[in-house]
Amino acid sequence: MELNMPWVESPFFEELLTKKNLSPEDAELARTYHRDGFLVLSGMFDETLIDQAVKEMNKHYDQLGVVQKDRALNLWQTKPAVKQLASDPKIMDTLQMLYGRRPIPFQTLNFKYGSQQRAHSDSIHFQSMPQRYLAGVWVALEETNEDNGTLQYYPGSQRWPIFDYSVIMNQLETAQHAGDVQFYEDNYETFMEAMIKDIGAEPEVLRAKKGDVIIWAANLVHGGLPIRQKGRTRFSQVTHYFFEDCLYYNPSHSNIVTGEWSVASQINIATGQREWGSYNGQKVPLKKAGDSRYLISRHAPKNWRDLVFLFQKAWHKVTH
Ligand SMILES: O=C(O)CCC(=O)C(=O)O
Ligand SMILES: [Fe+2]
């Protein structure tokens, strides 16, 4: 039975798998991804490409004139190796196989040091309609372990409910705290930590070799471990992907209960094209709802695309 969700996350996964005619290797990858919510691939990239990406990152940090410990957002716009890692055809093929739709790389994050992020699922930041058409791809640009603050995952947590602020808060307007880091830490991260403790979920610590790739489902709970050896680098890159024929939105900036969605088009890193999104072959009619959010309404004006464009321009101004 087909559901309106990625086949690899479907409760009918085994039945759908038999219809797919996958190679034994791909079937094994899909099984792992279905079970754990993530998979590890080795030997995908040339060492020279990895070294080039590190060189580009070092240049970026040198130009800043400070050792910036924070993540570098969207370096792909100016750094060719970062862009190449984000649009690698083999990774895209694997994502296409797992999700059954064309993947769209839309954001890169580069880290010189471990993020030490508390446990979270990326679905608090990104979501799609239909849900779950989002994936993260992490590339180890050097060896990572407990010393330099590697990643940890909660296998199977992709099957937990999708927690956005409408679950954690009891307010009509959940977007009022969008971008408030303190609020995110005090509410979302604290909630996630309490839940993990309560259900006794055990993390799996990832020790990656240089060049290892991890693909994870957007709802998989993960985080960065503390850096045990102070000052040790952990060069890495994360690329986030959404998928063709979905509507992309930011849940933290949306009022979920009132249906005021923070929808946005994205630039496809691989093609340079702006991807507007749609819903299973249907245009999504949007109606301005104030505060840069949109109602999905069958009664919206015909020129919804123009409205989205205006929204994009306003959004660009706020974020640049
Ligand atoms: O690199 C890390 O430590 C975590 C990155 C992460 O959580 C993300 O990009 O979604
Ligand atoms: Fe994350």
Side-chain angles (χ1 to χ4, degrees):
M1 188 175 178
E2 293 235 19
L3 294 176
N4 191 19
M5 66 187 293
W7 76 276
V8 76
E9 296 208 47
S10 169
F12 301 108
F13 168 78
E14 281 297 337
E15 177 201 323
L16 295 169
L17 179 62
T18 59
K19 295 185 188 147
K20 287 270 172 190
N21 255 328
L22 296 181
S23 68
E25 295 77 27
D26 278 353
E28 198 45 44
L29 288 179
R31 276 216 178 84
T32 303
Y33 199 76
H34 174 72
R35 185 190 62 224
D36 296 337
F38 69 97
L39 55 82
V40 183
L41 302 169
S42 294
M44 304 292 280
F45 292 116
D46 270 1
E47 182 123 359
T48 47
L49 180 62
I50 305 269
D51 293 342
Q52 183 62 28
V54 172
K55 218 186 264 174
E56 290 176 355
M57 287 174 67
N58 273 324
K59 197 163 168 206
H60 168 79
Y61 289 112
D62 288 350
Q63 276 169 351
L64 286 178
V66 286
V67 182
Q68 190 185 326
K69 299 206 182 229
D70 212 358
R71 59 199 195 162
L73 178 65
N74 286 332
L75 282 188
W76 70 270
Q77 291 166 342
T78 52
K79 309 287 184 218
V82 169
K83 182 175 174 182
Q84 207 176 321
L85 286 171
S87 38
D88 180 76
K90 294 190 297 296
I91 303 281
M92 304 264 269
D93 285 352
T94 304
L95 288 169
Q96 169 87 45
M97 183 275 290
L98 292 172
Y99 284 85
R101 294 192 188 202
R102 178 173 61 87
I104 301 165
F106 69 94
Q107 184 193 76
T108 58
L109 293 169
N110 286 74
F111 295 86
K112 181 170 177 178
Y113 298 97
S115 73
Q116 308 193 75
Q117 273 195 69
R118 289 161 75 190
H120 66 279
S121 120
D122 292 342
S123 31
I124 188 73
H125 308 298
F126 313 123
Q127 196 47 269
S128 61
M129 295 180 203
Q131 287 182 330
R132 295 176 183 268
Y133 282 98
L134 287 149
V137 174
W138 184 92
V139 185
L141 304 177
E142 68 174 305
E143 189 181 328
T144 70
N145 51 43
E146 286 90 334
D147 285 345
N148 59 0
T150 193
L151 291 168
Q152 58 179 350
Y153 292 94
Y154 289 85
S157 57
Q158 80 281 8
R159 283 188 290 275
W160 298 355
I162 294 172
F163 294 110
D164 56 43
Y165 284 133
S166 72
V167 181
I168 300 163
M169 294 165 63
N170 61 4
Q171 304 296 308
L172 269 178
E173 292 195 21
T174 51
Q176 61 192 306
H177 301 289
D180 181 342
V181 176
Q182 195 62 46
F183 185 86
Y184 170 79
E185 287 174 8
D186 293 349
N187 292 275
Y188 180 78
E189 287 186 334
T190 301
F191 148 75
M192 193 50 91
E193 205 163 274
M195 197 188 64
I196 287 166
K197 193 161 168 237
D198 195 61
I199 63 178
E202 287 293 337
E204 195 173 305
V205 172
L206 187 104
R207 293 170 197 95
K209 296 188 299 297
K210 181 175 171 181
D212 281 356
V213 173
I214 301 131
I215 304 181
W216 72 78
N219 203 42
L220 184 80
V221 177
H222 60 276
L225 285 173
I227 301 168
R228 203 160 61 181
Q229 256 186 39
K230 208 167 162 267
R232 271 283 306 272
T233 61
R234 195 213 67 182
F235 281 96
S236 53
Q237 174 166 330
V238 186
T239 307
H240 287 112
Y241 298 74
F242 76 114
F243 292 83
E244 187 174 28
D245 205 12
C246 300
L247 195 69
Y248 170 88
Y249 70 95
N250 179 325
S252 297
H253 289 74
S254 300
N255 290 319
I256 306 284
V257 182
T258 57
E260 294 166 291
W261 307 104
S262 172
V263 296
S265 66
Q266 302 287 340
I267 300 288
N268 184 334
I269 297 173
T271 64
Q273 298 292 311
R274 188 170 280 285
E275 304 264 3
W276 290 96
S278 49
Y279 184 81
N280 301 327
Q282 299 150 81
K283 273 189 188 176
V284 184
L286 300 172
K287 198 165 163 177
K288 225 173 163 56
D291 291 341
S292 316
R293 294 183 192 96
Y294 288 88
L295 306 172
I296 295 174
S297 165
R298 288 180 291 111
H299 308 293
K302 290 249 185 313
N303 62 341
W304 63 275
R305 237 170 224 276
D306 299 343
L307 292 179
V308 175
F309 181 68
L310 288 176
F311 162 74
Q312 275 303 315
K313 279 210 322 211
W315 180 248
H316 192 82
K317 252 193 207 149
V318 170
T319 53
H320 287 76

